[in-house]
Amino acid sequence: MEQEVVISRKPDVAGAVAELCGKLRRNPDSYQAVIFLAAITYDFALLSEKIKERFPKAEVIGTSTAGEITPDGFTNNSVVLTTMCDSSTKVKGFLVEHGSRYPVSSKARIESAIRECGIRANDANSGKDAFAIAFINGVFNAEESILTNFYSVVKNDYFPLAGGTAGFTGNDAKTFVSYNGKTTQDGAAFLLVKTKCKFDVRQEDIFNPTGKTMLVSEADVVNRTISKFDGKPAKSVYASKLGVSESESESMTFENPFGRYLNGALHIAALAGFSPDKKISLFARVVPNSTLELMHIGDPLQKCDETCEGIRSVLHPKFTLLMTCITRTLAFERMRISDKIIQKYKSTFPTFAGFSAYGEQLGRIHCNQTLVSVVIGD
């Protein structure tokens, strides 16, 4: 497996694509897959078309970002392009459209892609030599429904999937994903990978449980809001658990998200904000009568060391894609540890590419404020 990572900060699409392709070492026809990660400042539809024109034989997926990640650091207002090249690897992508309303309409595309990639649907062992990368639009709260639809087709709840919710910057809430030059603002771009190479898909969580729990007694699943904990206003209970006033709690949401118990493990649901009537908005769904754990931030550098060591212990990295929550990126900047995080990645991976997302997906689960990585070895 061989990976190349190139970056352009040229503001115009034609100039950026020319610079990106000019930096690559191989002939364009030699790449099985091309993945691009682009700031929202670009004309994303045009960028998608022009990149696909340069790689007519490759499977090409892309996403808008809330920031880009390369060995140069955490950056903004750029396009990052990374490639996958390996003779023993087969890839196939597909696009899910109308993801928030009719995700099931893409069932035939998913089935076709699974067959073309040689993945065995309804086989408990299908994830031993295959996995999926998913970029999902970030404005319609559709991550859970899109994942549910995908797993209803692959019929293996343990099939590995690494995903990131498309990001954006500024006040205009719009995100884009694309497959082979076609763009959507409501759906997802998937890349299926079947390979003889070893691979590792994992999630890094920098938060620790506090032992303080809350029962969700009233919630809106579709709109991702909690009205009441234990019959009391959600914001009041959250502040009480923190031991601060309600106004003080508003500035403590990043360091103290919720943990949801899913399949026996805790998964982060980030707080998006509070309403005047004391409801809590989230970036992931919670359901009534479920129990949430109050989490508190740990040591991000220590967690990063553990992640990198875990990956090194199972394979020799050759290809690395990182999807991290924008709140982590901003927090690392405030903590002045961004460069230290990048240096740890550089000491572990020959090269890497990634982006700041609005949520992360690991298998069937959508969550927030984590890092999801997919690494391919020899």
Side-chain angles (χ1 to χ4, degrees):
M1 176 62 65
E2 180 182 337
Q3 178 184 25
E4 293 182 59
V5 176
V6 292
I7 184 171
S8 176
R9 293 185 175 86
K10 290 184 179 295
D12 63 297
V13 167
V17 172
E19 182 177 21
L20 291 167
C21 294
K23 291 179 177 179
L24 293 173
R25 298 189 298 269
R26 289 178 171 269
N27 182 289
D29 291 343
S30 65
Y31 302 111
Q32 279 98 337
V34 171
I35 300 170
F36 70 93
L37 318 162
I40 202 71
T41 51
Y42 289 92
D43 182 333
F44 193 89
L46 180 62
L47 180 66
S48 301
E49 293 174 4
K50 294 303 180 183
I51 290 178
K52 178 57 183 176
E53 287 177 4
R54 295 292 192 111
F55 303 94
K57 295 184 178 181
E59 293 291 277
V60 181
I61 66 169
T63 181
S64 62
T65 77
E68 304 77 56
I69 306 170
T70 73
D72 291 338
F74 293 88
T75 64
N76 292 282
N77 300 319
S78 66
V79 184
V80 175
L81 185 147
T82 186
T83 61
M84 187 183 295
C85 183
D86 179 72
S87 60
S88 69
T89 297
K90 188 172 183 179
V91 300
K92 181 61 182 178
F94 60 90
L95 190 69
V96 173
E97 298 180 274
H98 313 297
S100 66
R101 294 174 294 165
Y102 313 114
V104 72
S105 65
S106 298
K107 181 180 178 181
R109 295 180 190 175
I110 303 173
E111 292 173 334
S112 176
I114 288 173
R115 286 194 301 270
E116 286 190 49
C117 204
I119 295 170
R120 305 171 302 280
N122 202 24
D123 185 336
N125 295 314
S126 61
K128 291 185 176 180
D129 61 357
F131 63 90
I133 296 171
F135 298 149
I136 306 178
N137 284 119
V139 178
F140 295 95
N141 295 347
E143 290 94 341
E144 290 94 347
S145 58
I146 289 173
L147 291 175
T148 297
N149 187 53
F150 173 76
Y151 278 94
S152 73
V153 178
V154 76
K155 295 182 174 65
N156 176 1
D157 285 350
Y158 300 100
F159 187 83
L161 179 146
T165 300
F168 66 92
T169 53
N171 297 321
D172 193 0
K174 59 181 179 180
T175 60
F176 302 95
V177 298
S178 73
Y179 165 63
N180 278 353
K182 187 174 183 179
T183 295
T184 182
Q185 293 189 66
D186 181 14
F190 281 76
L191 183 70
L192 299 173
V193 181
K194 184 175 182 182
T195 181
K196 293 181 180 179
C197 300
K198 294 180 180 179
F199 61 87
D200 178 90
V201 175
R202 69 176 61 208
Q203 186 173 53
E204 177 186 285
D205 178 356
I206 61 175
F207 298 93
N208 300 315
T210 64
K212 299 178 181 180
T213 60
M214 293 150 281
L215 177 67
V216 180
S217 53
E218 189 175 315
D220 183 332
V221 176
V222 174
N223 293 308
R224 296 176 175 172
T225 61
I226 301 172
S227 300
K228 293 182 179 180
F229 287 122
D230 303 308
K232 301 176 182 178
K235 183 179 182 181
S236 300
V237 175
Y238 178 71
S240 176
K241 293 290 183 179
L242 289 173
V244 300
S245 69
E246 292 183 16
S247 60
E248 288 175 317
S249 71
E250 295 177 1
S251 63
M252 300 173 67
T253 56
F254 172 77
E255 292 81 4
N256 301 277
F258 295 128
R260 298 169 297 160
Y261 290 94
L262 301 171
N263 300 326
L266 281 169
H267 296 273
I268 301 298
L271 283 73
F274 304 97
S275 66
D277 56 356
K278 300 187 180 183
K279 293 179 182 179
I280 297 176
S281 298
L282 303 172
F283 286 112
R285 292 179 183 176
V286 300
V287 297
N289 300 315
S290 62
T291 298
L292 300 184
E293 174 107 12
L294 183 66
M295 309 294 284
H296 186 68
I297 192 170
D299 183 346
L301 294 175
Q302 178 183 340
K303 295 285 187 177
C304 185
D305 284 335
E306 293 172 0
T307 297
C308 292
E309 180 56 35
I311 292 170
R312 279 194 297 259
S313 68
V314 297
L315 47 74
H316 183 210
K318 296 290 186 178
F319 173 97
T320 301
L321 182 67
L322 306 171
M323 291 155 280
T324 190
C325 188
I326 178 58
T327 56
R328 282 171 44 113
T329 302
L330 295 175
F332 294 166
E333 183 178 344
R334 291 195 303 270
M335 299 165 73
R336 298 182 180 179
I337 61 172
S338 302
D339 290 342
K340 293 180 180 179
I341 294 289
I342 292 295
Q343 288 304 314
K344 290 180 184 296
Y345 294 158
K346 291 175 72 171
S347 67
T348 304
F349 311 117
T351 191
F352 54 89
F355 70 103
S356 295
Y358 267 60
E360 306 81 55
Q361 295 82 48
L362 183 72
R364 296 178 64 99
I365 297 172
H366 166 65
C367 54
N368 317 114
Q369 295 185 206
T370 67
L371 166 76
V372 168
S373 60
V374 53
V375 181
I376 308 175
D378 294 320

